[in-house]
Amino acid sequence: MDIRYSANQRDVKRYTTQELRDEFLIQNLYQPDQIVAVYSHVDRMVTVGCMPVNEVVPIDKGIDMWASFGTGYFLERREIGIFNIGAPGKIQVDGTVYPMGNKDCLYITRGAKEVLFSSDKPVDPAKFYMVSAPAHCSYETRLIKLADAAKRPLGSMETSNKRVINQFIHPDVLPTCQLSMGMTVLEPGSVWNTMPAHTHERRMEIYTYFDIPDGNVVFHMMGEGQETRHIVMHNEEAVISPSWSIHAGAGTSNYTFIWAMGGENQAFDDMDNIDIPDLR
């Protein structure tokens, strides 16, 4: 498991392009029949990718659990949110099977011991994108379809950011310990996300961008509001955003992204906004 340590805003100002990418960018999440995991010391969030092809893949495949977490199993003291961004597949949690279509979401509560991933068709595999946060209590494992998500339309075509925020793992949908996750879908002709930009001192965030058409990229904006930087991101890559950093982006086409948050609260609107003219 790749481990990323916390970077502070003073040092980041001096980073090269490659240093920024090494610190914050997460690539190559979907390897056939493997678990790919990145542990961030920012709020101890873990980003995981799994693309089962010919095997049923357990969530702890290839992970030394005691060395990584000091626990007997992955979700002993954690909760996790999982989106399928590929073809249909299944997740089995302690014997219960959850069919997962494209853009379906599964929340698994703390204490689930066995989590298994499979694809319906090896030639067209599922791609499971996951974010896990530490948890101090247990709730209920639940499958959330896109139709069940809380929807917040935002933006306009005039500002190139007409989009729908779909809140899946959110207090308005189901109770969790600290994890919040959702999916934002940009309309054709819109390219900007999370603008006006903001930070939230009390929470960190992780984005993954997908459904980026071939030949296109997303410029992910990060850094302090008066010291912005950017990372060029390709399809199905993720990026870590510490609490002190803005997290916004503009693509060369429309796209979709999944956001995940963890920290002190679950108040979606707890943001420290930065006016667009004040960005530097």
Side-chain angles (χ1 to χ4, degrees):
M1 183 166 62
D2 185 12
I3 297 178
R4 309 284 180 92
Y5 292 91
S6 301
N8 69 71
Q9 58 269 54
R10 295 179 300 278
D11 290 345
V12 168
K13 294 176 185 179
R14 299 189 292 270
Y15 279 12
T16 65
T17 296
Q18 191 57 52
E19 286 173 322
L20 277 177
R21 294 174 69 83
D22 291 343
E23 191 71 41
F24 300 106
L25 182 63
I26 299 172
Q27 298 176 292
N28 304 314
L29 278 168
Y30 308 102
Q31 305 299 315
D33 297 321
Q34 299 298 319
I35 291 290
V36 179
V38 175
Y39 184 113
S40 172
H41 275 272
V42 182
D43 286 303
R44 299 190 177 275
M45 302 282 271
V46 181
T47 304
V48 184
C50 178
M51 185 176 69
V53 179
N54 297 308
E55 300 178 14
V56 176
V57 181
I59 196 171
D60 57 355
K61 182 178 181 179
I63 297 177
D64 184 333
M65 204 53 57
W66 183 257
S68 299
F69 301 105
T71 57
Y73 55 96
F74 187 76
L75 296 178
E76 183 177 338
R77 297 179 60 83
R78 287 183 161 272
E79 58 187 352
I80 193 167
I82 306 171
F83 279 83
N84 181 13
I85 65 170
K90 295 180 178 66
I91 303 175
Q92 180 174 314
V93 183
D94 291 339
T96 301
V97 176
Y98 298 90
M100 297 285 291
N102 183 259
K103 296 184 174 67
D104 285 348
C105 175
L106 181 67
Y107 169 75
I108 304 178
T109 190
R110 187 192 74 162
K113 290 186 177 181
E114 184 182 60
V115 181
L116 305 173
F117 302 99
S118 61
S119 294
D120 289 359
K121 296 180 180 179
V123 294
D124 193 12
K127 293 180 180 179
F128 296 107
Y129 172 77
M130 308 167 240
V131 177
S132 173
H136 62 270
C137 58
S138 299
Y139 288 98
E140 180 183 359
T141 295
R142 182 175 159 188
L143 176 65
I144 309 126
K145 299 283 189 178
L146 180 59
D148 300 324
K151 293 175 169 49
R152 295 184 58 170
L154 287 177
S156 67
M157 295 302 295
E158 289 74 18
T159 51
S160 302
N161 66 353
K162 188 175 183 181
R163 62 201 190 276
V164 176
I165 299 175
N166 299 277
Q167 298 168 330
F168 284 79
I169 300 175
H170 185 276
D172 290 343
V173 179
L174 79 169
T176 65
C177 185
Q178 68 158 316
L179 184 66
S180 296
M181 292 183 74
M183 181 176 64
T184 300
V185 181
L186 277 78
E187 299 262 345
S190 288
V191 297
W192 277 101
N193 76 73
T194 322
M195 190 60 66
H198 64 266
T199 61
H200 21 74
E201 185 65 29
R202 294 149 293 278
R203 288 173 294 166
M204 68 89 71
E205 198 152 1
I206 299 170
Y207 277 9
T208 188
Y209 293 95
F210 67 106
D211 284 351
I212 301 174
D214 289 344
N216 290 274
V217 298
V218 172
F219 288 77
H220 179 79
M221 309 300 173
M222 62 164 295
E224 295 179 288
Q226 284 71 48
E227 287 276 354
T228 59
R229 302 290 186 267
H230 74 267
I231 295 176
V232 177
M233 300 190 60
H234 295 262
N235 195 39
E236 298 178 355
E237 295 180 339
V239 62
I240 298 166
S241 180
S243 59
W244 49 262
S245 176
I246 67 168
H247 33 280
T252 56
S253 173
N254 63 310
Y255 51 88
T256 301
F257 70 99
I258 294 167
W259 44 268
M261 290 186 283
E264 297 292 347
N265 65 38
Q266 294 178 301
F268 185 81
D269 293 321
D270 181 10
M271 304 172 185
D272 302 311
N273 292 305
I274 302 171
D275 291 336
I276 292 176
D278 292 334
L279 292 169
R280 296 291 184 270

